[in-house]
Amino acid sequence: MERVNLELYLNDTLQTAQFRDYCPNGLQVEGRPEIRRLASGVTASQALLEAARDWGADALLVHHGYFWKNEDARVVGIKRKRLGLLITNDISLFAYHLPLDAHPEFGNNAQLGRLLGFAGDGRFGPDQLGWLGAPAQPTTLGELAALVEAQLGRTPLLLGDPDRQVKRVAWCTGGAQGFFEAAITAGADVYLTGEVSEQNTHLALESGVGFLAAGHHATERWGAKALGEHVAEVFGLEHCFFDIPNPV
């Protein structure tokens, strides 16, 4: 398919115009006009770029791209090497940050909720990015932590009483630890996100609401993959998701 048509489809599907983000969403680096092979991944690191190139990708779809607010605008060092690889190999880079978190079907939050068996029935937090719902069956905080470990392949940090009963779950993938207080206000028994900050310990202890930090990368492996698979099916493209390990 033509690159411009893929860009239009992705922007329309993710409703990029609705978001005020920390980076440009959409086509960040222009490559060849025709796309037959689409690679996807979480972050446009050098390792992911090399994997996409070696596979023969015409375009790469990621959650974390480039040109973040307040970053150094100079094309030097690591940035030059990354951009150079894309441009030299004529590979397009598509990046979607908040729009890929928020999408009700392909978004990181929707995909994580589906993976863990949560029945999402509400939203909370800035731009309604956070999700609310119920676990598949009544559970405890400790049992939920074990489920997260089994599904994501890493042990989450648990703050709170492992025996606390969990009937309402709030979650938001990635670096959304700042949404914890909003999750408490929304009536959650536990809040699941990727990262953790010092103050989250005190909020968990003083509110009694559990907190699970399951890893930024681990919680956001699912959106770009789901969207890439969808696009490949709709337009008859070859697709490959590359999961570059990241312990954070």
Side-chain angles (χ1 to χ4, degrees):
M1 69 178 302
E2 294 184 5
R3 181 194 62 243
V4 64
N5 291 333
L6 177 58
E7 179 184 10
L8 291 172
Y9 182 82
L10 289 170
N11 289 349
D12 181 64
T13 298
L14 297 177
Q15 296 291 292
T16 56
Q18 296 184 9
F19 295 87
R20 296 181 61 185
D21 212 334
Y22 314 105
C23 62
N25 287 295
L27 181 65
Q28 292 190 340
V29 178
E30 181 180 295
R32 59 182 65 97
E34 290 291 328
I35 296 174
R36 294 180 175 83
R37 306 189 99 190
L38 175 66
S40 64
V42 179
T43 299
S45 64
Q46 188 72 19
L48 179 59
L49 299 183
E50 291 173 356
R53 177 201 60 196
D54 294 345
W55 180 66
D58 301 303
L60 176 60
L61 170 66
V62 300
H63 180 47
H64 301 136
Y66 305 145
F67 314 114
W68 297 91
K69 183 179 179 181
N70 297 325
E71 78 170 30
D72 188 345
R74 296 176 301 158
V75 182
V76 298
I78 290 173
K79 182 184 287 187
R80 181 191 183 282
K81 188 175 181 181
R82 290 175 172 179
L83 293 175
L85 187 152
L86 289 167
I87 293 170
T88 300
N89 292 278
D90 216 11
I91 300 172
S92 295
L93 176 66
F94 293 92
Y96 295 93
H97 186 230
L98 295 183
L100 191 56
D101 287 321
H103 194 273
E105 182 178 356
F106 307 119
N108 286 316
N109 286 318
Q111 290 294 314
L112 182 63
R114 184 174 295 116
L115 181 69
L116 296 175
F118 300 157
D121 56 25
R123 300 286 188 96
F124 74 98
D127 294 321
Q128 299 292 287
L129 287 173
W131 283 49
L132 288 163
Q137 57 188 19
T139 187
T140 66
L141 181 56
E143 291 169 341
L144 181 58
L147 172 65
V148 170
E149 180 175 1
Q151 293 293 72
L152 301 189
R154 58 168 289 157
T155 304
L157 173 68
L158 186 158
L159 301 175
D161 180 4
D163 294 326
R164 178 185 172 115
Q165 290 294 313
V166 173
K167 296 180 180 179
R168 294 290 289 167
V169 179
W171 72 97
C172 191
T173 65
Q177 62 268 46
F179 289 12
F180 188 23
E181 197 163 3
I184 295 170
T185 301
D189 297 309
V190 61
Y191 177 53
L192 168 64
T193 188
E195 298 188 23
V196 63
S197 295
E198 186 270 348
Q199 64 268 26
N200 297 136
T201 297
H202 307 295
L203 285 173
L205 293 174
E206 294 171 27
S207 68
V209 175
F211 182 96
L212 289 173
H216 195 134
H217 176 84
T219 58
E220 294 196 326
R221 297 205 307 265
W222 318 105
K225 182 176 186 290
L227 183 59
E229 290 172 346
H230 167 75
V231 169
E233 182 178 358
V234 171
F235 295 104
L237 304 177
E238 291 184 65
H239 171 255
C240 185
F241 175 77
F242 293 95
D243 187 12
I244 306 300
N246 189 331
V248 174

